Coordinates of all heavy atoms in Angstrom, one line a residue:
T65 N 38.0 -7.9 13.9 CA 37.4 -9.1 13.2 C 36.1 -8.7 12.5 O 35.7 -9.5 11.5 CB 37.1 -10.1 14.2 OG1 36.2 -9.6 15.3 CG2 38.4 -10.6 14.9
L66 N 35.4 -7.7 12.9 CA 34.2 -7.3 12.3 C 34.3 -6.4 11.0 O 33.6 -6.4 10.1 CB 33.2 -6.5 13.3 CG 32.4 -7.3 14.2 CD1 31.7 -6.4 15.2 CD2 31.5 -8.3 13.6
Q67 N 35.4 -5.7 11.1 CA 35.7 -4.6 10.0 C 35.6 -5.1 8.5 O 34.9 -4.4 7.8 CB 37.0 -3.9 10.3 CG 37.0 -3.0 11.6 CD 38.3 -2.3 11.8 OE1 39.1 -2.2 10.8 NE2 38.5 -1.9 13.0
P68 N 36.2 -6.3 8.2 CA 36.1 -6.7 6.8 C 34.6 -6.9 6.4 O 34.3 -6.7 5.2 CB 36.9 -8.0 6.8 CG 37.8 -7.9 8.0 CD 37.0 -7.2 9.0
Y69 N 33.8 -7.5 7.4 CA 32.4 -7.8 6.9 C 31.7 -6.5 6.9 O 30.7 -6.3 6.0 CB 31.9 -8.7 8.0 CG 32.6 -10.1 8.0 CD1 33.6 -10.2 8.9 CD2 32.3 -11.0 7.1 CE1 34.3 -11.5 9.0 CE2 33.0 -12.2 7.1 CZ 34.0 -12.4 8.0 OH 34.6 -13.6 8.0
L70 N 31.9 -5.5 7.7 CA 31.2 -4.2 7.7 C 31.5 -3.5 6.4 O 30.7 -2.9 5.7 CB 31.6 -3.3 8.9 CG 31.3 -4.0 10.2 CD1 31.7 -3.0 11.4 CD2 29.7 -4.2 10.4
T71 N 32.8 -3.6 6.0 CA 33.3 -3.0 4.8 C 32.6 -3.7 3.5 O 32.2 -3.0 2.6 CB 34.8 -3.2 4.6 OG1 35.5 -2.6 5.7 CG2 35.3 -2.5 3.3
Q72 N 32.5 -5.0 3.6 CA 31.8 -5.7 2.5 C 30.3 -5.3 2.5 O 29.8 -5.1 1.3 CB 31.9 -7.3 2.8 CG 31.4 -8.0 1.7 CD 31.6 -9.6 2.0 OE1 32.5 -10.0 2.7 NE2 30.6 -10.3 1.5
I73 N 29.7 -5.0 3.6 CA 28.3 -4.7 3.5 C 28.2 -3.3 3.0 O 27.2 -3.0 2.1 CB 27.7 -4.7 5.0 CG1 27.7 -6.1 5.5 CG2 26.2 -4.0 5.0 CD1 27.3 -6.2 7.0
V74 N 29.0 -2.4 3.3 CA 28.9 -1.0 2.8 C 29.3 -1.0 1.3 O 28.7 -0.2 0.5 CB 30.0 -0.1 3.6 CG1 30.1 1.2 2.9 CG2 29.5 0.0 5.0
S75 N 30.2 -1.8 0.9 CA 30.7 -1.9 -0.6 C 29.5 -2.4 -1.4 O 29.2 -1.8 -2.5 CB 31.9 -2.8 -0.7 OG 33.0 -2.3 -0.1
K76 N 28.8 -3.4 -0.9 CA 27.7 -4.0 -1.6 C 26.5 -3.0 -1.6 O 25.8 -2.8 -2.6 CB 27.2 -5.3 -0.9 CG 26.1 -6.0 -1.8 CD 25.9 -7.4 -1.2 CE 24.8 -8.1 -2.0 NZ 24.5 -9.4 -1.4
G77 N 26.3 -2.4 -0.4 CA 25.3 -1.2 -0.3 C 23.8 -1.7 -0.4 O 23.0 -0.9 -0.7
I78 N 23.6 -3.0 0.0 CA 22.2 -3.4 -0.1 C 21.9 -4.1 1.3 O 22.6 -5.0 1.8 CB 22.0 -4.5 -1.3 CG1 22.3 -3.9 -2.6 CG2 20.6 -5.1 -1.2 CD1 22.3 -4.8 -3.8
V79 N 20.8 -3.7 1.8 CA 20.2 -4.3 3.0 C 19.4 -5.6 2.6 O 18.4 -5.5 1.9 CB 19.3 -3.3 3.8 CG1 18.9 -4.0 5.1 CG2 20.0 -2.0 4.0
G80 N 19.9 -6.7 3.1 CA 19.3 -8.0 2.8 C 19.8 -9.0 3.8 O 19.9 -8.9 5.0
Y81 N 20.2 -10.2 3.1 CA 20.8 -11.2 4.0 C 21.8 -12.0 3.2 O 21.6 -12.5 2.2 CB 19.7 -12.2 4.5 CG 20.1 -13.0 5.7 CD1 20.0 -12.4 7.0 CD2 20.6 -14.2 5.5 CE1 20.4 -13.1 8.0 CE2 21.0 -15.0 6.7 CZ 20.9 -14.4 7.9 OH 21.3 -15.2 9.0
D82 N 23.1 -11.8 3.6 CA 24.1 -12.6 2.9 C 25.1 -13.0 3.9 O 24.9 -12.9 5.1 CB 24.8 -11.7 1.8 CG 25.4 -10.4 2.3 OD1 25.6 -10.3 3.6 OD2 25.5 -9.4 1.6
T83 N 26.3 -13.6 3.5 CA 27.3 -14.1 4.5 C 27.8 -13.1 5.4 O 28.1 -13.3 6.6 CB 28.4 -14.8 3.7 OG1 29.0 -13.9 2.7 CG2 27.9 -16.0 3.0
A84 N 28.1 -11.8 4.8 CA 28.6 -10.8 5.7 C 27.7 -10.4 6.8 O 28.1 -10.2 7.9 CB 29.0 -9.6 4.8
I85 N 26.4 -10.2 6.4 CA 25.4 -9.8 7.4 C 25.2 -11.0 8.4 O 25.0 -10.7 9.6 CB 24.1 -9.4 6.7 CG1 24.2 -8.1 5.8 CG2 22.9 -9.3 7.6 CD1 23.1 -7.8 4.9
S86 N 25.2 -12.2 7.9 CA 25.0 -13.3 8.7 C 26.2 -13.4 9.8 O 26.0 -13.7 11.1 CB 25.0 -14.6 7.9 OG 25.0 -15.7 8.8
Y87 N 27.4 -13.0 9.4 CA 28.6 -13.0 10.3 C 28.3 -11.9 11.4 O 28.6 -12.2 12.6 CB 29.9 -12.7 9.5 CG 31.1 -12.8 10.5 CD1 31.8 -14.0 10.7 CD2 31.5 -11.6 11.1 CE1 32.9 -14.0 11.5 CE2 32.6 -11.7 12.0 CZ 33.3 -12.9 12.1 OH 34.4 -12.9 13.0
V88 N 27.9 -10.7 11.0 CA 27.7 -9.8 11.9 C 26.5 -10.1 12.9 O 26.7 -9.9 14.1 CB 27.2 -8.4 11.3 CG1 26.9 -7.3 12.2 CG2 28.4 -7.9 10.3
E89 N 25.6 -10.8 12.4 CA 24.5 -11.2 13.3 C 24.9 -12.2 14.4 O 24.5 -12.2 15.5 CB 23.3 -11.7 12.6 CG 22.1 -12.2 13.3 CD 20.8 -12.4 12.5 OE1 20.9 -12.4 11.4 OE2 19.8 -12.5 13.2
T90 N 25.8 -13.1 14.0 CA 26.2 -14.1 14.9 C 27.4 -13.7 15.7 O 27.8 -14.4 16.8 CB 26.6 -15.4 14.1 OG1 27.5 -15.1 13.1 CG2 25.4 -16.1 13.6
H91 N 28.2 -12.7 15.4 CA 29.4 -12.3 16.1 C 29.4 -11.0 16.8 O 30.2 -10.8 17.7 CB 30.6 -12.4 15.2 CG 31.0 -13.8 14.7 ND1 30.3 -14.4 13.7 CD2 32.0 -14.6 15.2 CE1 30.8 -15.6 13.6 NE2 31.9 -15.8 14.4
A92 N 28.5 -10.1 16.4 CA 28.6 -8.7 17.0 C 27.8 -8.8 18.3 O 26.8 -9.5 18.5 CB 27.9 -7.7 16.1
S93 N 28.3 -8.2 19.3 CA 27.8 -8.1 20.7 C 26.6 -7.1 20.6 O 26.4 -6.3 19.7 CB 28.8 -7.7 21.7 OG 29.2 -6.3 21.4
D94 N 25.7 -7.2 21.6 CA 24.6 -6.2 21.6 C 25.1 -4.7 21.7 O 24.5 -3.9 21.1 CB 23.8 -6.5 23.0 CG 22.9 -7.7 22.8 OD1 23.0 -8.4 21.7 OD2 22.1 -8.0 23.6
K95 N 26.2 -4.5 22.4 CA 26.8 -3.2 22.4 C 27.2 -2.8 21.1 O 27.0 -1.6 20.6 CB 28.0 -3.2 23.4 CG 28.7 -1.8 23.6 CD 29.7 -1.9 24.6 CE 30.5 -0.6 24.7 NZ 31.3 -0.2 23.6
E96 N 27.9 -3.6 20.4 CA 28.3 -3.3 19.0 C 27.2 -3.1 18.1 O 27.2 -2.2 17.2 CB 29.2 -4.4 18.5 CG 30.6 -4.4 19.1 CD 31.4 -5.7 18.8 OE1 30.8 -6.7 18.6 OE2 32.7 -5.6 18.7
L97 N 26.1 -3.8 18.2 CA 24.9 -3.6 17.3 C 24.3 -2.3 17.7 O 23.9 -1.6 16.7 CB 23.9 -4.8 17.6 CG 24.3 -6.2 17.0 CD1 23.3 -7.2 17.5 CD2 24.3 -6.1 15.5
T98 N 24.3 -1.9 18.9 CA 23.7 -0.6 19.3 C 24.5 0.5 18.6 O 24.0 1.5 18.1 CB 23.7 -0.4 20.8 OG1 22.9 -1.5 21.4 CG2 23.1 0.8 21.3
E99 N 25.9 0.3 18.7 CA 26.7 1.4 18.0 C 26.6 1.3 16.5 O 26.6 2.4 16.0 CB 28.2 1.0 18.4 CG 28.5 1.3 20.0 CD 29.8 0.8 20.4 OE1 30.5 0.0 19.6 OE2 30.2 1.1 21.5
L100 N 26.4 0.2 15.9 CA 26.1 0.1 14.5 C 24.8 0.9 14.2 O 24.7 1.5 13.1 CB 26.0 -1.3 14.0 CG 27.3 -2.0 13.7 CD1 27.0 -3.5 13.3 CD2 28.0 -1.4 12.5
G101 N 23.9 0.9 15.1 CA 22.7 1.6 14.9 C 22.9 3.1 14.8 O 22.0 3.9 14.5
N102 N 24.2 3.5 15.2 CA 24.5 5.0 15.2 C 25.8 5.1 14.2 O 26.6 6.1 14.4 CB 24.8 5.5 16.6 CG 23.6 5.6 17.4 OD1 22.8 6.4 17.1 ND2 23.5 4.9 18.5
S103 N 25.9 4.2 13.2 CA 27.0 4.3 12.3 C 26.8 5.4 11.3 O 25.7 5.9 11.0 CB 27.0 2.9 11.5 OG 27.9 3.1 10.4
E104 N 27.9 5.9 10.8 CA 27.9 7.0 9.8 C 27.4 6.4 8.5 O 27.0 7.2 7.6 CB 29.3 7.6 9.6 CG 30.3 6.6 9.1 CD 31.7 7.2 9.0 OE1 31.8 8.4 9.4 OE2 32.7 6.5 8.5
H105 N 27.3 5.1 8.3 CA 26.8 4.5 7.1 C 25.3 4.0 7.3 O 25.1 3.1 8.1 CB 27.7 3.3 6.7 CG 29.1 3.7 6.5 ND1 29.5 4.3 5.3 CD2 30.2 3.4 7.2 CE1 30.9 4.4 5.4 NE2 31.3 3.9 6.5
P106 N 24.4 4.7 6.6 CA 23.0 4.2 6.7 C 22.8 2.8 6.5 O 21.9 2.2 7.1 CB 22.3 5.1 5.6 CG 23.2 6.2 5.4 CD 24.6 5.7 5.5
V107 N 23.4 2.2 5.5 CA 23.2 0.7 5.3 C 23.6 -0.1 6.5 O 22.9 -1.1 6.8 CB 24.0 0.2 4.0 CG1 25.5 0.2 4.2 CG2 23.6 -1.2 3.5
L108 N 24.6 0.2 7.2 CA 25.0 -0.5 8.5 C 23.9 -0.2 9.5 O 23.6 -1.2 10.3 CB 26.3 0.0 9.0 CG 27.6 -0.4 8.1 CD1 28.8 0.1 8.7 CD2 27.6 -2.0 7.9
R109 N 23.4 0.9 9.6 CA 22.3 1.2 10.6 C 21.1 0.3 10.3 O 20.6 -0.3 11.2 CB 21.9 2.7 10.5 CG 23.0 3.6 10.9 CD 22.5 5.0 11.4 NE 21.8 5.7 10.4 CZ 22.2 6.6 9.5 NH1 23.5 6.8 9.4 NH2 21.5 7.2 8.7
A110 N 20.7 0.3 9.0 CA 19.5 -0.5 8.6 C 19.7 -2.0 9.0 O 18.9 -2.7 9.4 CB 19.2 -0.3 7.2
V111 N 21.0 -2.5 8.6 CA 21.3 -3.9 8.9 C 21.2 -4.2 10.4 O 20.7 -5.2 10.9 CB 22.7 -4.2 8.3 CG1 23.2 -5.5 8.9 CG2 22.7 -4.3 6.8
A112 N 21.9 -3.3 11.2 CA 21.9 -3.3 12.6 C 20.5 -3.4 13.2 O 20.2 -4.3 14.0 CB 22.7 -2.3 13.3
F113 N 19.6 -2.5 12.7 CA 18.3 -2.5 13.2 C 17.5 -3.8 13.0 O 16.8 -4.3 13.8 CB 17.5 -1.3 12.7 CG 18.0 0.0 13.2 CD1 18.2 1.0 12.3 CD2 18.2 0.2 14.5 CE1 18.7 2.3 12.7 CE2 18.7 1.4 15.0 CZ 18.9 2.4 14.1
R114 N 17.7 -4.3 11.7 CA 17.0 -5.6 11.4 C 17.5 -6.7 12.3 O 16.7 -7.6 12.8 CB 17.3 -6.0 10.0 CG 16.5 -5.2 8.9 CD 16.6 -5.8 7.5 NE 15.9 -5.2 6.6 CZ 15.6 -5.6 5.3 NH1 16.1 -6.8 5.0 NH2 14.8 -4.9 4.4
I115 N 18.8 -6.8 12.6 CA 19.3 -7.8 13.5 C 18.7 -7.6 14.9 O 18.3 -8.5 15.6 CB 20.9 -7.8 13.5 CG1 21.4 -8.1 12.1 CG2 21.4 -8.7 14.6 CD1 22.9 -7.9 12.0
M116 N 18.7 -6.4 15.4 CA 18.3 -6.1 16.8 C 16.8 -6.5 16.9 O 16.4 -6.9 18.0 CB 18.5 -4.6 17.1 CG 20.0 -4.2 17.4 SD 20.2 -2.5 18.1 CE 20.3 -1.6 16.6
L117 N 16.0 -6.3 15.9 CA 14.6 -6.5 15.9 C 14.4 -8.0 16.0 O 13.3 -8.5 16.2 CB 13.9 -5.9 14.8 CG 13.8 -4.4 14.8 CD1 13.2 -3.8 13.5 CD2 12.8 -4.0 16.0
R118 N 15.4 -8.8 15.7 CA 15.3 -10.3 15.7 C 15.7 -10.9 17.0 O 15.6 -12.0 17.4 CB 15.9 -11.0 14.5 CG 15.3 -10.7 13.2 CD 15.9 -11.6 12.1 NE 17.3 -11.3 11.7 CZ 17.6 -10.6 10.7 NH1 16.7 -10.1 9.9 NH2 18.9 -10.4 10.4
K119 N 16.5 -10.0 17.8 CA 17.1 -10.6 19.0 C 16.2 -10.2 20.2 O 15.9 -9.1 20.4 CB 18.5 -10.0 19.1 CG 19.5 -10.4 18.0 CD 20.9 -10.0 18.4 CE 21.5 -10.9 19.5 NZ 23.0 -10.7 19.7
P120 N 16.0 -11.2 21.0 CA 15.1 -11.0 22.3 C 15.8 -10.2 23.3 O 15.1 -9.7 24.2 CB 14.8 -12.5 22.8 CG 15.9 -13.2 22.2 CD 16.4 -12.7 20.9
S121 N 17.1 -10.0 23.2 CA 17.8 -9.2 24.2 C 17.5 -7.6 24.1 O 18.0 -6.9 25.0 CB 19.3 -9.5 24.2 OG 19.8 -9.4 22.8
F122 N 17.0 -7.2 23.0 CA 16.7 -5.8 22.8 C 15.2 -5.5 23.0 O 14.3 -6.4 22.9 CB 17.0 -5.4 21.3 CG 18.5 -5.3 21.1 CD1 19.2 -6.4 20.6 CD2 19.2 -4.1 21.4 CE1 20.6 -6.3 20.3 CE2 20.6 -4.1 21.1 CZ 21.2 -5.2 20.6
N123 N 15.0 -4.3 23.4 CA 13.6 -3.7 23.6 C 13.2 -3.3 22.2 O 13.5 -2.2 21.8 CB 13.6 -2.6 24.7 CG 12.2 -2.2 24.9 OD1 11.3 -2.0 24.0 ND2 11.8 -1.9 26.2
H124 N 12.5 -4.1 21.5 CA 12.1 -3.9 20.1 C 11.2 -2.6 20.0 O 11.3 -1.8 19.1 CB 11.4 -5.0 19.6 CG 12.3 -6.3 19.5 ND1 11.8 -7.5 19.4 CD2 13.6 -6.4 19.6 CE1 12.7 -8.4 19.4 NE2 13.9 -7.7 19.6
F125 N 10.3 -2.3 21.0 CA 9.4 -1.2 20.9 C 10.3 0.1 21.0 O 10.0 1.1 20.3 CB 8.4 -1.3 22.0 CG 7.3 -0.2 21.9 CD1 6.4 -0.2 20.9 CD2 7.4 0.9 22.8 CE1 5.4 0.8 20.8 CE2 6.5 1.9 22.7 CZ 5.5 1.8 21.7
D126 N 11.3 0.0 21.9 CA 12.1 1.3 22.0 C 12.9 1.6 20.7 O 13.1 2.7 20.3 CB 13.1 1.1 23.2 CG 12.4 1.3 24.5 OD1 11.2 1.7 24.5 OD2 13.0 0.9 25.5
I127 N 13.3 0.4 20.1 CA 14.0 0.6 18.8 C 13.1 1.2 17.7 O 13.5 2.2 17.0 CB 14.6 -0.7 18.3 CG1 15.7 -1.2 19.2 CG2 15.1 -0.6 16.9 CD1 16.2 -2.7 18.9
L128 N 11.9 0.7 17.7 CA 10.9 1.2 16.6 C 10.6 2.6 16.9 O 10.5 3.5 15.9 CB 9.6 0.4 16.8 CG 9.6 -1.2 16.3 CD1 8.4 -1.8 16.8 CD2 9.7 -1.1 14.8

Side-chain angles (χ1 to χ4, degrees):
T65 59
L66 280 178
Q67 288 181 22
Y69 298 96
L70 299 179
T71 301
Q72 188 177 329
I73 294 169
V74 172
S75 298
K76 187 175 180 181
I78 299 174
V79 183
Y81 200 81
D82 57 21
T83 53
I85 293 173
S86 178
Y87 183 90
V88 172
E89 182 163 10
T90 53
H91 290 80
S93 66
D94 284 1
K95 180 176 179 294
E96 288 170 322
L97 287 171
T98 302
E99 291 169 350
L100 274 176
N102 290 296
S103 167
E104 63 184 4
H105 299 286
V107 68
L108 291 181
R109 298 202 298 271
V111 165
F113 292 134
R114 284 194 180 190
I115 294 172
M116 285 189 274
L117 289 170
R118 289 194 290 265
K119 295 191 71 173
S121 52
F122 286 93
N123 185 318
H124 299 162
F125 186 74
D126 285 351
I127 292 170
L128 290 164

